[in-house]
Amino acid sequence: MNAMKQCTHKPVHISRRSFLSRCAAGAAATGLPLWFVKAQEAAAQSGAAAVSSPNDRPGIALIGCGGMGNGNARNAMRFGDIVAVCDVDRNHLNGAVRQFTRNGKAPAAFTDFRRLLERSDVDAVIQATPDHWHTLINIAAAKAKKGIYAEKPLTLTIDEGRKTIQAVRENGVILQTGTQQRSSQRFVLACELVRNGRIGKLKEIHVWVPAGLREGPFKTAPVPEALDWDFWLGQAPKVDYVPQRCHANFRWWWEYSGGPVTDWGAHHNDIAAWALGLDGPTRIESRVITPPIPGGYNTPSEFEATLTWPNGVIQRVRTTPDDSPYGAVLKEDGQRNGIRFEGSEGWIWVNREEITASNRDLLREPLPEDAIRLHTSRNHMGNFFECLRSRKDPVCPVEVGHRSASVGHLIVASLRLGRTLEWDPAKETFVGENAADANRYIAREMRAPYDYSFVS
Ligand SMILES: NC(=O)c1ccc[n+]([C@@H]2O[C@H](COP(=O)([O-])OP(=O)(O)OC[C@H]3O[C@@H](n4cnc5c(N)ncnc54)[C@H](O)[C@@H]3O)[C@@H](O)[C@H]2O)c1
Protein backbone atom coordinates (compact mmCIF):
# COMPACT_ATOMS: atom_id res chain seq x y z
CA MET A 1 0.00 0.00 0.00
CA ASN A 2 1.40 3.42 -0.83
CA ALA A 3 1.77 6.30 1.56
CA MET A 4 -1.06 8.29 -0.06
CA LYS A 5 -3.71 5.78 0.88
CA GLN A 6 -2.56 5.55 4.48
CA CYS A 7 -2.82 9.27 5.24
CA THR A 8 -5.63 10.86 7.18
CA HIS A 9 -6.27 14.58 7.06
CA LYS A 10 -8.20 16.91 9.30
CA PRO A 11 -10.19 19.82 7.82
CA VAL A 12 -8.58 23.25 8.07
CA HIS A 13 -10.45 25.74 10.36
CA ILE A 14 -10.11 29.50 10.12
CA SER A 15 -11.80 32.22 12.21
CA ARG A 16 -14.89 34.06 10.96
CA ARG A 17 -12.98 37.33 10.90
CA SER A 18 -10.19 36.00 8.76
CA PHE A 19 -12.80 34.20 6.60
CA LEU A 20 -14.57 37.51 5.88
CA SER A 21 -11.38 39.43 5.20
CA ARG A 22 -10.17 36.66 2.91
CA CYS A 23 -13.48 36.86 0.99
CA ALA A 24 -13.28 40.64 0.71
CA ALA A 25 -9.71 40.42 -0.57
CA GLY A 26 -10.72 37.69 -3.02
CA ALA A 27 -13.63 39.73 -4.36
CA ALA A 28 -11.44 42.83 -4.72
CA ALA A 29 -8.70 40.90 -6.52
CA THR A 30 -10.98 39.09 -8.97
CA GLY A 31 -13.79 41.60 -9.46
CA LEU A 32 -16.24 38.80 -8.64
CA PRO A 33 -19.31 39.57 -6.49
CA LEU A 34 -18.70 39.20 -2.74
CA TRP A 35 -21.72 36.89 -2.23
CA PHE A 36 -20.24 34.43 -4.73
CA VAL A 37 -16.72 34.54 -3.27
CA LYS A 38 -18.17 33.88 0.21
CA ALA A 39 -20.16 30.89 -1.03
CA GLN A 40 -17.10 29.51 -2.78
CA GLU A 41 -14.85 30.04 0.26
CA ALA A 42 -17.36 28.37 2.56
CA ALA A 43 -17.69 25.35 0.28
CA ALA A 44 -13.92 25.14 -0.07
CA GLN A 45 -13.42 25.31 3.72
CA SER A 46 -15.84 22.48 4.37
CA GLY A 47 -14.05 20.16 2.00
CA ALA A 48 -10.49 21.39 2.43
CA ALA A 49 -7.76 18.88 3.13
CA ALA A 50 -4.63 19.95 4.95
CA VAL A 51 -1.50 20.56 2.89
CA SER A 52 0.57 17.39 2.75
CA SER A 53 3.34 17.02 5.29
CA PRO A 54 6.88 16.38 4.00
CA ASN A 55 6.46 12.68 4.82
CA ASP A 56 3.33 11.97 2.82
CA ARG A 57 4.04 13.69 -0.44
CA PRO A 58 2.84 11.51 -3.34
CA GLY A 59 5.28 10.37 -6.00
CA ILE A 60 4.47 12.00 -9.35
CA ALA A 61 5.52 10.95 -12.84
CA LEU A 62 5.44 13.24 -15.86
CA ILE A 63 4.67 11.55 -19.19
CA GLY A 64 5.16 13.95 -22.12
CA CYS A 65 7.76 16.55 -21.16
CA GLY A 66 6.74 19.30 -23.61
CA GLY A 67 5.27 22.75 -23.04
CA MET A 68 2.19 21.80 -21.03
CA GLY A 69 3.69 18.79 -19.27
CA ASN A 70 6.56 20.79 -17.80
CA GLY A 71 4.15 23.51 -16.68
CA ASN A 72 1.79 20.98 -15.11
CA ALA A 73 4.63 19.21 -13.34
CA ARG A 74 5.99 22.46 -11.89
CA ASN A 75 2.47 23.13 -10.62
CA ALA A 76 2.14 19.60 -9.22
CA MET A 77 5.40 19.95 -7.26
CA ARG A 78 3.47 21.97 -4.67
CA PHE A 79 1.61 18.77 -3.82
CA GLY A 80 4.16 16.00 -4.32
CA ASP A 81 7.58 15.03 -5.67
CA ILE A 82 8.48 14.37 -9.30
CA VAL A 83 10.06 10.92 -9.08
CA ALA A 84 10.02 9.90 -12.76
CA VAL A 85 9.77 11.46 -16.22
CA CYS A 86 9.15 9.97 -19.65
CA ASP A 87 9.43 11.22 -23.22
CA VAL A 88 10.15 9.72 -26.64
CA ASP A 89 12.38 12.69 -27.41
CA ARG A 90 15.57 12.40 -25.39
CA ASN A 91 16.20 16.15 -25.60
CA HIS A 92 12.87 16.83 -23.88
CA LEU A 93 13.50 13.99 -21.46
CA ASN A 94 16.94 15.29 -20.45
CA GLY A 95 15.51 18.78 -20.08
CA ALA A 96 12.87 17.46 -17.67
CA VAL A 97 15.47 15.51 -15.69
CA ARG A 98 17.47 18.70 -15.25
CA GLN A 99 14.41 20.76 -14.43
CA PHE A 100 13.00 18.38 -11.82
CA THR A 101 16.22 17.42 -10.04
CA ARG A 102 15.96 18.50 -6.41
CA ASN A 103 18.67 18.41 -3.74
CA GLY A 104 20.87 16.41 -6.09
CA LYS A 105 18.18 13.76 -6.63
CA ALA A 106 17.23 13.32 -10.30
CA PRO A 107 13.89 11.79 -11.35
CA ALA A 108 14.18 8.39 -13.03
CA ALA A 109 14.10 8.77 -16.84
CA PHE A 110 12.13 6.57 -19.28
CA THR A 111 11.40 6.52 -23.00
CA ASP A 112 8.66 3.84 -22.68
CA PHE A 113 5.79 4.83 -20.37
CA ARG A 114 4.99 1.16 -19.70
CA ARG A 115 8.28 0.74 -17.82
CA LEU A 116 7.67 3.92 -15.84
CA LEU A 117 4.24 2.67 -14.77
CA GLU A 118 5.84 -0.43 -13.20
CA ARG A 119 7.37 1.74 -10.46
CA SER A 120 5.76 1.45 -7.05
CA ASP A 121 6.92 4.93 -5.98
CA VAL A 122 4.65 6.55 -8.61
CA ASP A 123 1.24 7.42 -7.14
CA ALA A 124 0.08 9.76 -9.86
CA VAL A 125 0.91 10.61 -13.46
CA ILE A 126 0.72 13.93 -15.23
CA GLN A 127 -0.19 12.97 -18.77
CA ALA A 128 0.64 15.63 -21.34
CA THR A 129 1.48 13.81 -24.54
CA PRO A 130 -0.12 14.86 -27.86
CA ASP A 131 -3.82 13.95 -28.15
CA HIS A 132 -3.30 10.75 -30.17
CA TRP A 133 -1.36 9.23 -27.27
CA HIS A 134 -3.78 10.16 -24.47
CA THR A 135 -5.95 7.07 -24.47
CA LEU A 136 -3.42 4.25 -24.46
CA ILE A 137 -1.34 5.93 -21.76
CA ASN A 138 -4.39 6.77 -19.62
CA ILE A 139 -5.63 3.20 -19.88
CA ALA A 140 -2.21 1.80 -18.99
CA ALA A 141 -1.97 4.20 -16.01
CA ALA A 142 -5.44 3.17 -14.80
CA LYS A 143 -4.49 -0.50 -15.00
CA ALA A 144 -1.35 0.28 -13.01
CA LYS A 145 -3.64 1.92 -10.39
CA LYS A 146 -2.11 5.36 -10.72
CA GLY A 147 -4.03 8.60 -10.29
CA ILE A 148 -4.14 10.49 -13.60
CA TYR A 149 -4.08 14.20 -14.37
CA ALA A 150 -5.07 13.80 -18.02
CA GLU A 151 -4.58 16.68 -20.42
CA LYS A 152 -7.43 17.81 -22.60
CA PRO A 153 -8.93 16.83 -24.97
CA LEU A 154 -9.29 13.57 -23.07
CA THR A 155 -9.24 11.50 -26.28
CA LEU A 156 -8.74 11.49 -30.03
CA THR A 157 -12.09 9.77 -30.72
CA ILE A 158 -15.43 9.14 -29.05
CA ASP A 159 -14.78 5.40 -28.86
CA GLU A 160 -11.53 6.05 -26.97
CA GLY A 161 -13.58 7.97 -24.40
CA ARG A 162 -15.78 4.99 -23.66
CA LYS A 163 -12.74 2.76 -23.24
CA THR A 164 -11.05 5.29 -20.97
CA ILE A 165 -14.14 5.48 -18.74
CA GLN A 166 -14.21 1.70 -18.49
CA ALA A 167 -10.53 1.48 -17.52
CA VAL A 168 -10.80 4.27 -14.93
CA ARG A 169 -13.93 2.91 -13.28
CA GLU A 170 -12.92 -0.77 -13.35
CA ASN A 171 -9.63 0.08 -11.69
CA GLY A 172 -11.08 2.60 -9.23
CA VAL A 173 -8.55 5.32 -10.00
CA ILE A 174 -8.94 9.11 -9.86
CA LEU A 175 -8.79 10.92 -13.19
CA GLN A 176 -8.91 14.69 -13.49
CA THR A 177 -9.33 16.03 -17.04
CA GLY A 178 -7.07 19.03 -17.68
CA THR A 179 -9.89 21.44 -18.56
CA GLN A 180 -8.85 23.85 -15.83
CA GLN A 181 -11.55 26.45 -16.56
CA ARG A 182 -13.81 24.30 -14.33
CA SER A 183 -11.66 25.45 -11.42
CA SER A 184 -11.86 29.13 -12.36
CA GLN A 185 -14.40 31.11 -10.35
CA ARG A 186 -15.46 33.26 -13.29
CA PHE A 187 -16.57 30.23 -15.27
CA VAL A 188 -18.25 28.63 -12.23
CA LEU A 189 -20.20 31.84 -11.60
CA ALA A 190 -21.31 32.07 -15.24
CA CYS A 191 -22.46 28.43 -15.29
CA GLU A 192 -24.27 28.67 -11.93
CA LEU A 193 -26.11 31.82 -13.04
CA VAL A 194 -27.15 30.25 -16.34
CA ARG A 195 -28.22 27.00 -14.67
CA ASN A 196 -30.37 28.95 -12.20
CA GLY A 197 -32.17 30.96 -14.89
CA ARG A 198 -30.53 34.30 -14.09
CA ILE A 199 -30.66 35.28 -17.78
CA GLY A 200 -34.13 33.77 -18.19
CA LYS A 201 -34.57 30.94 -20.63
CA LEU A 202 -31.23 30.09 -22.21
CA LYS A 203 -31.52 30.51 -25.99
CA GLU A 204 -28.06 30.63 -27.54
CA ILE A 205 -24.44 30.02 -26.61
CA HIS A 206 -21.67 31.62 -28.65
CA VAL A 207 -18.22 30.09 -28.35
CA TRP A 208 -15.23 31.86 -29.92
CA VAL A 209 -11.89 30.09 -30.18
CA PRO A 210 -8.62 31.39 -31.65
CA ALA A 211 -8.08 30.48 -35.29
CA GLY A 212 -5.55 27.74 -36.03
CA LEU A 213 -2.45 27.90 -38.19
CA ARG A 214 -2.65 27.94 -42.00
CA GLU A 215 0.81 27.12 -43.32
CA GLY A 216 2.55 24.83 -45.77
CA PRO A 217 3.45 23.03 -47.92
CA PHE A 218 6.05 21.37 -45.72
CA LYS A 219 9.14 19.33 -46.57
CA THR A 220 10.30 16.09 -45.03
CA ALA A 221 13.54 16.13 -43.04
CA PRO A 222 15.86 13.57 -41.42
CA VAL A 223 14.51 12.37 -38.08
CA PRO A 224 16.39 14.12 -35.27
CA GLU A 225 18.80 11.75 -33.57
CA ALA A 226 17.16 12.22 -30.16
CA LEU A 227 13.59 11.48 -31.35
CA ASP A 228 11.90 8.07 -31.63
CA TRP A 229 9.65 9.16 -34.49
CA ASP A 230 7.84 5.80 -34.80
CA PHE A 231 6.94 5.85 -31.10
CA TRP A 232 5.89 9.51 -31.35
CA LEU A 233 3.56 8.62 -34.26
CA GLY A 234 2.10 5.74 -32.25
CA GLN A 235 -1.35 4.73 -33.49
CA ALA A 236 -1.28 7.34 -36.29
CA PRO A 237 -0.28 6.34 -39.85
CA LYS A 238 3.41 5.92 -40.56
CA VAL A 239 4.73 8.99 -42.44
CA ASP A 240 8.14 10.48 -43.10
CA TYR A 241 9.30 12.98 -40.52
CA VAL A 242 8.10 16.54 -41.07
CA PRO A 243 9.18 18.94 -38.29
CA GLN A 244 5.82 20.75 -38.44
CA ARG A 245 3.95 17.55 -37.58
CA CYS A 246 5.78 17.10 -34.32
CA HIS A 247 6.13 19.04 -31.06
CA ALA A 248 3.39 21.60 -30.35
CA ASN A 249 2.23 21.68 -34.01
CA PHE A 250 0.58 18.24 -33.79
CA ARG A 251 -2.69 20.08 -32.93
CA TRP A 252 -3.12 21.27 -36.54
CA TRP A 253 -3.27 17.72 -37.97
CA TRP A 254 -6.30 15.36 -38.05
CA GLU A 255 -4.01 12.39 -37.46
CA TYR A 256 -2.97 13.61 -34.01
CA SER A 257 -5.63 16.09 -32.96
CA GLY A 258 -8.53 18.15 -34.36
CA GLY A 259 -7.41 21.75 -34.91
CA PRO A 260 -8.87 24.75 -33.04
CA VAL A 261 -12.06 22.92 -32.04
CA THR A 262 -10.31 20.27 -29.97
CA ASP A 263 -7.63 22.69 -28.79
CA TRP A 264 -9.19 25.83 -27.21
CA GLY A 265 -12.58 24.34 -28.10
CA ALA A 266 -12.02 21.58 -25.53
CA HIS A 267 -12.05 24.30 -22.84
CA HIS A 268 -14.95 26.48 -23.99
CA ASN A 269 -17.19 23.63 -25.17
CA ASP A 270 -16.67 22.05 -21.74
CA ILE A 271 -17.96 25.23 -20.08
CA ALA A 272 -20.93 25.43 -22.47
CA ALA A 273 -21.82 21.81 -21.62
CA TRP A 274 -21.47 22.56 -17.89
CA ALA A 275 -23.91 25.47 -18.13
CA LEU A 276 -26.31 23.28 -20.08
CA GLY A 277 -25.99 20.22 -17.85
CA LEU A 278 -26.63 17.98 -20.85
CA ASP A 279 -24.70 15.09 -22.38
CA GLY A 280 -24.47 16.19 -25.97
CA PRO A 281 -26.06 17.96 -28.94
CA THR A 282 -28.44 16.25 -31.38
CA ARG A 283 -27.53 18.13 -34.57
CA ILE A 284 -24.18 19.36 -35.85
CA GLU A 285 -23.82 21.66 -38.82
CA SER A 286 -20.45 23.07 -39.86
CA ARG A 287 -18.60 25.04 -42.50
CA VAL A 288 -14.92 25.37 -43.30
CA ILE A 289 -14.16 29.07 -43.70
CA THR A 290 -10.48 28.87 -44.64
CA PRO A 291 -9.44 25.63 -46.32
CA PRO A 292 -5.97 24.26 -45.55
CA ILE A 293 -3.04 24.71 -47.95
CA PRO A 294 -2.34 21.42 -49.78
CA GLY A 295 0.71 19.73 -48.25
CA GLY A 296 0.43 21.86 -45.11
CA TYR A 297 -1.51 21.60 -41.85
CA ASN A 298 -4.67 19.69 -42.78
CA THR A 299 -7.16 21.04 -40.19
CA PRO A 300 -8.93 24.24 -41.30
CA SER A 301 -7.62 27.28 -39.47
CA GLU A 302 -11.07 28.90 -39.51
CA PHE A 303 -14.46 27.23 -39.32
CA GLU A 304 -17.90 27.69 -37.86
CA ALA A 305 -20.31 25.12 -36.44
CA THR A 306 -23.86 25.21 -35.14
CA LEU A 307 -24.99 22.67 -32.56
CA THR A 308 -28.58 22.03 -31.51
CA TRP A 309 -29.00 20.74 -27.95
CA PRO A 310 -31.94 18.53 -26.87
CA ASN A 311 -33.52 21.49 -24.98
CA GLY A 312 -33.55 23.58 -28.16
CA VAL A 313 -30.54 25.74 -27.23
CA ILE A 314 -28.41 26.67 -30.24
CA GLN A 315 -24.66 26.74 -29.73
CA ARG A 316 -22.47 28.45 -32.31
CA VAL A 317 -18.77 27.64 -32.25
CA ARG A 318 -16.56 29.89 -34.36
CA THR A 319 -12.92 30.76 -34.78
CA THR A 320 -12.02 34.40 -34.24
CA PRO A 321 -11.87 35.93 -37.72
CA ASP A 322 -8.35 37.11 -37.11
CA ASP A 323 -5.48 36.01 -39.29
CA SER A 324 -2.94 36.40 -36.53
CA PRO A 325 -1.54 33.11 -35.31
CA TYR A 326 -2.68 30.76 -32.57
CA GLY A 327 -3.54 32.51 -29.34
CA ALA A 328 -5.02 35.58 -31.04
CA VAL A 329 -7.58 37.46 -29.01
CA LEU A 330 -9.77 39.81 -31.01
CA LYS A 331 -10.52 43.15 -29.52
CA GLU A 332 -13.98 43.63 -31.01
CA ASP A 333 -16.84 42.85 -28.66
CA GLY A 334 -18.46 39.47 -29.10
CA GLN A 335 -15.66 38.13 -31.28
CA ARG A 336 -13.01 37.50 -28.69
CA ASN A 337 -11.85 34.18 -27.35
CA GLY A 338 -14.58 33.28 -24.85
CA ILE A 339 -18.22 32.33 -24.32
CA ARG A 340 -21.42 34.34 -24.45
CA PHE A 341 -24.65 32.95 -23.01
CA GLU A 342 -27.80 34.59 -24.34
CA GLY A 343 -31.13 34.20 -22.59
CA SER A 344 -34.62 35.66 -22.77
CA GLU A 345 -33.67 38.21 -20.07
CA GLY A 346 -30.07 39.12 -20.77
CA TRP A 347 -26.61 37.82 -21.58
CA ILE A 348 -23.42 36.86 -19.78
CA TRP A 349 -19.97 36.99 -21.38
CA VAL A 350 -17.07 35.10 -19.79
CA ASN A 351 -13.47 34.38 -20.65
CA ARG A 352 -10.20 33.97 -18.72
CA GLU A 353 -9.93 37.71 -18.14
CA GLU A 354 -13.42 38.87 -17.25
CA ILE A 355 -17.09 38.18 -16.68
CA THR A 356 -19.62 40.79 -17.79
CA ALA A 357 -23.38 40.86 -18.30
CA SER A 358 -26.05 42.82 -20.12
CA ASN A 359 -26.93 44.29 -16.72
CA ARG A 360 -24.41 44.35 -13.83
CA ASP A 361 -27.22 43.37 -11.40
CA LEU A 362 -27.36 39.94 -13.04
CA LEU A 363 -23.99 39.28 -11.38
CA ARG A 364 -24.50 41.33 -8.18
CA GLU A 365 -27.70 39.72 -6.93
CA PRO A 366 -26.93 36.61 -4.79
CA LEU A 367 -28.41 33.27 -5.79
CA PRO A 368 -30.99 31.89 -3.31
CA GLU A 369 -30.02 29.32 -0.66
CA ASP A 370 -31.64 26.48 -2.62
CA ALA A 371 -29.96 27.37 -5.93
CA ILE A 372 -28.20 24.73 -8.00
CA ARG A 373 -24.52 24.96 -7.04
CA LEU A 374 -21.74 23.39 -9.06
CA HIS A 375 -18.70 21.54 -7.81
CA THR A 376 -16.27 23.89 -6.05
CA SER A 377 -12.61 23.75 -6.95
CA ARG A 378 -10.37 26.78 -7.03
CA ASN A 379 -7.24 24.99 -8.06
CA HIS A 380 -7.49 22.31 -10.70
CA MET A 381 -4.24 20.56 -9.85
CA GLY A 382 -4.90 20.94 -6.11
CA ASN A 383 -8.35 19.43 -6.56
CA PHE A 384 -6.75 16.40 -8.23
CA PHE A 385 -4.41 15.83 -5.28
CA GLU A 386 -7.22 16.39 -2.78
CA CYS A 387 -9.26 13.74 -4.57
CA LEU A 388 -6.36 11.28 -4.54
CA ARG A 389 -6.75 11.44 -0.75
CA SER A 390 -10.51 11.70 -0.40
CA ARG A 391 -11.16 9.18 -3.22
CA LYS A 392 -14.00 11.47 -4.36
CA ASP A 393 -14.51 12.42 -7.99
CA PRO A 394 -12.63 15.57 -9.01
CA VAL A 395 -14.30 18.57 -10.65
CA CYS A 396 -13.70 17.15 -14.12
CA PRO A 397 -13.96 13.36 -13.89
CA VAL A 398 -13.53 10.97 -16.78
CA GLU A 399 -17.18 10.95 -17.90
CA VAL A 400 -17.23 14.74 -18.10
CA GLY A 401 -13.89 14.82 -19.92
CA HIS A 402 -15.27 12.30 -22.40
CA ARG A 403 -18.53 14.18 -23.07
CA SER A 404 -16.79 17.53 -23.44
CA ALA A 405 -14.17 16.10 -25.81
CA SER A 406 -17.00 14.44 -27.76
CA VAL A 407 -18.45 17.85 -28.70
CA GLY A 408 -15.17 18.63 -30.50
CA HIS A 409 -15.06 15.18 -32.11
CA LEU A 410 -18.63 15.63 -33.42
CA ILE A 411 -17.70 18.94 -35.04
CA VAL A 412 -14.56 17.32 -36.48
CA ALA A 413 -16.69 14.56 -38.07
CA SER A 414 -19.03 17.15 -39.60
CA LEU A 415 -16.13 19.30 -40.88
CA ARG A 416 -14.31 16.32 -42.38
CA LEU A 417 -17.42 14.96 -44.07
CA GLY A 418 -18.70 18.39 -45.06
CA ARG A 419 -22.18 17.37 -43.96
CA THR A 420 -24.79 18.13 -41.33
CA LEU A 421 -25.00 15.28 -38.83
CA GLU A 422 -27.54 14.00 -36.34
CA TRP A 423 -26.36 12.52 -33.04
CA ASP A 424 -28.04 10.42 -30.38
CA PRO A 425 -26.25 11.46 -27.15
CA ALA A 426 -27.77 8.63 -25.10
CA LYS A 427 -26.65 5.86 -27.47
CA GLU A 428 -23.56 7.81 -28.60
CA THR A 429 -24.18 7.06 -32.23
CA PHE A 430 -24.90 9.10 -35.34
CA VAL A 431 -28.42 8.72 -36.69
CA GLY A 432 -30.24 9.96 -39.80
CA GLU A 433 -29.21 10.04 -43.43
CA ASN A 434 -25.44 10.55 -42.93
CA ALA A 435 -25.14 8.06 -40.06
CA ALA A 436 -23.23 5.35 -41.92
CA ASP A 437 -20.47 7.69 -43.08
CA ALA A 438 -20.33 9.65 -39.83
CA ASN A 439 -20.14 6.58 -37.60
CA ARG A 440 -16.80 5.78 -39.23
CA TYR A 441 -15.39 8.74 -37.27
CA ILE A 442 -16.39 7.35 -33.87
CA ALA A 443 -13.23 5.25 -33.81
CA ARG A 444 -10.05 5.33 -35.89
CA GLU A 445 -7.82 2.56 -37.10
CA MET A 446 -4.81 2.17 -34.82
CA ARG A 447 -1.46 1.26 -36.39
CA ALA A 448 0.14 -1.86 -34.94
CA PRO A 449 1.69 -2.36 -32.50
CA TYR A 450 0.21 0.83 -30.97
CA ASP A 451 -3.32 -0.47 -30.51
CA TYR A 452 -5.03 -1.61 -27.30
CA SER A 453 -2.82 -4.72 -27.16
CA PHE A 454 0.14 -2.38 -26.55
CA VAL A 455 -1.15 -1.75 -23.03
CA SER A 456 -2.90 -5.04 -22.29
N1 LIG B 1 -4.93 22.54 -20.38
C1 LIG B 1 -4.37 23.43 -21.18
O1 LIG B 1 -4.61 24.64 -21.08
C2 LIG B 1 -3.42 22.96 -22.23
C3 LIG B 1 -2.53 23.88 -22.84
C4 LIG B 1 -1.61 23.38 -23.79
C5 LIG B 1 -1.62 22.04 -24.13
N2 LIG B 1 -2.52 21.20 -23.53
C6 LIG B 1 -2.55 19.77 -23.91
O2 LIG B 1 -1.35 19.15 -23.49
C7 LIG B 1 -0.97 18.14 -24.41
C8 LIG B 1 0.47 18.39 -24.84
O3 LIG B 1 0.54 19.63 -25.53
P1 LIG B 1 1.92 20.43 -25.67
O4 LIG B 1 1.62 21.71 -26.32
O5 LIG B 1 2.62 20.43 -24.36
O6 LIG B 1 2.71 19.48 -26.70
P2 LIG B 1 4.29 19.24 -26.85
O7 LIG B 1 4.48 18.71 -28.21
O8 LIG B 1 5.02 20.47 -26.45
O9 LIG B 1 4.60 18.11 -25.76
C9 LIG B 1 4.24 16.78 -25.91
C10 LIG B 1 5.40 15.92 -25.45
O10 LIG B 1 4.97 14.54 -25.44
C11 LIG B 1 6.03 13.77 -25.96
N3 LIG B 1 5.51 12.48 -26.42
C12 LIG B 1 4.88 12.17 -27.58
N4 LIG B 1 4.52 10.87 -27.58
C13 LIG B 1 4.92 10.35 -26.40
C14 LIG B 1 4.84 9.06 -25.81
N5 LIG B 1 4.25 8.05 -26.43
N6 LIG B 1 5.39 8.88 -24.58
C15 LIG B 1 6.00 9.90 -23.93
N7 LIG B 1 6.11 11.14 -24.45
C16 LIG B 1 5.57 11.36 -25.67
C17 LIG B 1 6.63 14.62 -27.05
O11 LIG B 1 7.90 14.19 -27.43
C18 LIG B 1 6.61 16.00 -26.36
O12 LIG B 1 7.77 16.20 -25.61
C19 LIG B 1 -1.95 18.21 -25.56
O13 LIG B 1 -2.92 17.21 -25.44
C20 LIG B 1 -2.60 19.58 -25.41
O14 LIG B 1 -3.93 19.62 -25.88
C21 LIG B 1 -3.39 21.63 -22.58
Side-chain angles (χ1 to χ4, degrees):
M1 214 152 71
N2 65 28
M4 284 288 298
K5 288 176 190 127
Q6 294 166 355
C7 304
T8 52
H9 290 268
K10 293 195 179 95
V12 178
H13 293 292
I14 61 169
S15 72
R16 177 156 176 79
R17 202 162 143 205
S18 72
F19 172 81
L20 291 175
S21 67
R22 183 188 287 199
C23 293
T30 58
L32 289 165
L34 184 60
W35 68 266
F36 176 75
V37 176
K38 273 188 191 163
Q40 289 270 298
E41 275 288 337
Q45 292 303 321
S46 66
V51 175
S52 29
S53 76
N55 296 330
D56 69 10
R57 287 169 63 81
I60 303 166
L62 168 62
I63 305 178
C65 311
M68 197 60 198
N70 287 329
N72 280 339
R74 283 194 295 273
N75 190 2
M77 283 174 83
R78 289 184 293 152
F79 308 99
D81 299 318
I82 310 294
V83 295
V85 292
C86 171
D87 206 294
V88 294
D89 181 330
R90 274 181 281 109
N91 285 339
H92 285 200
L93 184 64
N94 294 339
V97 168
R98 279 193 299 275
Q99 189 179 165
F100 297 111
T101 294
R102 287 291 175 280
N103 304 322
K105 193 159 185 240
F110 295 85
T111 50
D112 186 332
F113 62 90
R114 296 172 300 177
R115 301 291 82 80
L116 175 151
L117 291 171
E118 288 165 2
R119 288 181 73 104
S120 60
D121 61 347
V122 172
D123 299 300
V125 299
I126 307 286
Q127 223 279 72
T129 55
D131 307 1
H132 64 293
W133 262 111
H134 288 179
T135 297
L136 290 187
I137 298 177
N138 288 339
I139 289 177
K143 287 182 176 169
K145 310 280 186 198
K146 313 295 186 192
I148 310 163
Y149 185 94
E151 261 314 331
K152 51 57 54 179
L154 185 62
T155 57
L156 186 68
T157 67
I158 291 168
D159 184 61
E160 288 184 6
R162 296 178 190 141
K163 292 190 166 68
T164 307
I165 291 173
Q166 192 183 352
V168 165
R169 293 304 173 195
E170 275 179 10
N171 290 287
V173 298
I174 301 295
L175 183 147
Q176 171 86 299
T177 313
T179 38
Q180 70 272 20
Q181 291 183 169
R182 285 218 178 202
S183 296
S184 155
Q185 290 178 296
R186 274 186 202 94
F187 291 99
V188 179
L189 174 62
C191 291
E192 286 189 349
L193 291 173
V194 171
R195 281 267 191 115
N196 287 286
R198 182 55 60 85
I199 55 171
K201 187 171 164 30
L202 180 62
K203 301 242 180 238
E204 291 187 9
I205 305 176
H206 294 259
V207 163
W208 291 95
V209 295
L213 291 189
R214 187 170 188 269
E215 291 173 9
F218 302 126
K219 291 196 177 89
T220 59
V223 179
E225 205 265 320
L227 176 69
D228 186 339
W229 178 233
D230 190 66
F231 208 152
W232 189 97
L233 283 170
Q235 63 163 283
K238 181 93 178 160
V239 288
D240 288 340
Y241 177 70
V242 170
Q244 291 86 349
R245 282 183 178 267
C246 197
H247 303 323
N249 288 322
F250 67 85
R251 40 177 57 77
W252 315 125
W253 299 87
W254 296 129
E255 295 90 319
Y256 324 119
S257 188
V261 73
T262 56
D263 195 44
W264 264 95
H267 290 295
H268 292 347
N269 289 330
D270 175 59
I271 294 302
W274 207 17
L276 282 158
L278 297 171
D279 276 343
T282 51
R283 189 169 191 276
I284 305 101
E285 204 179 333
S286 71
R287 183 172 77 90
V288 170
I289 297 174
T290 318
I293 298 168
Y297 297 123
N298 57 15
T299 58
S301 56
E302 292 187 54
F303 72 90
E304 61 181 4
T306 304
L307 311 176
T308 308
W309 289 81
N311 58 358
V313 170
I314 299 295
Q315 181 184 341
R316 295 197 70 195
V317 183
R318 280 168 282 180
T319 41
T320 55
D322 187 341
D323 59 4
S324 62
Y326 171 65
V329 176
L330 254 206
K331 297 289 172 276
E332 283 172 46
D333 258 4
Q335 296 188 338
R336 290 169 297 157
N337 178 13
I339 309 156
R340 182 176 159 113
F341 297 99
E342 290 184 2
S344 55
E345 289 164 37
W347 55 259
I348 292 172
W349 160 262
V350 64
N351 68 8
R352 292 189 185 179
E353 284 81 43
E354 61 176 354
I355 177 166
T356 55
S358 47
N359 174 347
R360 195 68 198 158
D361 289 343
L362 292 178
L363 308 179
R364 276 203 203 110
E365 186 69 23
L367 281 169
E369 286 287 303
D370 61 348
I372 300 166
R373 304 314 295 252
L374 301 174
H375 193 133
T376 291
S377 153
R378 291 168 311 160
N379 182 311
H380 212 58
M381 188 62 77
N383 175 245
F384 170 60
F385 283 97
E386 259 171 44
C387 292
L388 282 186
R389 294 202 168 84
S390 68
R391 310 310 296 171
K392 288 185 188 152
D393 266 343
V395 66
C396 205
V398 62
E399 291 82 2
V400 171
H402 162 58
R403 288 293 187 168
S404 294
S406 294
V407 174
H409 299 327
L410 293 172
I411 296 174
V412 164
S414 172
L415 283 169
R416 293 186 77 177
L417 274 170
R419 292 192 226 158
T420 296
L421 305 177
E422 288 169 58
W423 176 247
D424 180 335
K427 296 196 177 120
E428 295 191 82
T429 184
F430 287 102
V431 292
E433 64 170 330
N434 292 314
D437 289 331
N439 279 327
R440 282 202 276 276
Y441 285 92
I442 289 183
R444 299 193 197 180
E445 203 170 313
M446 296 168 117
R447 181 174 65 99
Y450 306 102
D451 52 23
Y452 291 104
S453 65
F454 195 65
V455 294
S456 61

